[in-house]
Amino acid sequence: MKNLTLFFLLMAFVANAQMMTPEQLAEHQLQGYNERNVTKFLEAYSDSVKVYMFPNKLMYQGKDKMKTGYEGMFSNMPDLNCTLKSRMVLGNTVIDEERVLFSKDRPVMEAIAIYKVAAGKIQEVYFISKE
C-alpha cells in the first residue's frame, strides 16, 4: 500500500512538472510559429481551441482547423516572423504585443494576441490588429 501511495505521488509530481505555465505556453507556440514548425506550434493549444477576432467574432474552432491554416502559411511564407514587443501575464491570461512580418515586400503588421489558458492548454485566442 505504501509503495502504491508513493507511486501515485510520483506520478502527480511528474504530471505537474510537465505542465507549462500560461507564459510558457505562449512562448512555446511563438517559438513554433517562428520556426514554422506546426507540430511544436500546436502543442500549446487544446483540441477545441477557439480563435476570435476581438472582441467576439469567432474565426474558427478546433486544432484541426488551426493546423490546416497554419500549415499553409508556414509552407508558403518563408519570411514569416513574429517579434514579441511586450508580454503581460495575469493569472491564466497572457497578452502579447507583436510585430508580424508576413513577407519582405509587405509592411509589418502590429497586433495583440490574448491567450486564455485552462487545463494546461491555450483554450481561447483573441486577435487585435492595427488596420
Side-chain angles (χ1 to χ4, degrees), residues 9-54:
L9 285 173
L10 179 61
M11 293 304 294
F13 175 77
V14 169
N16 286 333
Q18 292 176 347
M19 190 173 290
M20 289 190 250
T21 66
E23 185 171 11
Q24 289 169 328
L25 288 167
E27 185 61 28
H28 188 80
Q29 64 84 39
L30 178 61
Q31 289 172 355
Y33 183 95
N34 283 334
E35 294 168 9
R36 288 180 289 291
N37 179 335
V38 75
T39 301
K40 182 175 181 176
F41 174 75
L42 292 172
E43 287 171 347
Y45 293 94
S46 76
D47 290 341
S48 60
V49 63
K50 294 179 182 176
V51 180
Y52 296 90
M53 186 58 70
F54 187 85

Side-chain angles (χ1 to χ4, degrees), residues 59-81:
M59 295 167 48
Y60 59 87
Q61 181 175 352
K63 195 187 279 190
D64 290 339
K65 287 198 178 201
M66 180 178 260
K67 180 180 182 181
T68 300
Y70 280 89
E71 274 180 330
M73 192 165 59
F74 290 169
S75 64
N76 295 320
M77 298 182 167
D79 299 328
L80 184 66
N81 185 268

Side-chain angles (χ1 to χ4, degrees), residues 33 73 76-81 100-109:
Y33 183 95
M73 192 165 59
N76 295 320
M77 298 182 167
D79 299 328
L80 184 66
N81 185 268
V100 182
L101 175 68
F102 292 103
S103 74
K104 292 178 181 172
D105 59 344
R106 288 176 53 189
V108 171
M109 181 181 76

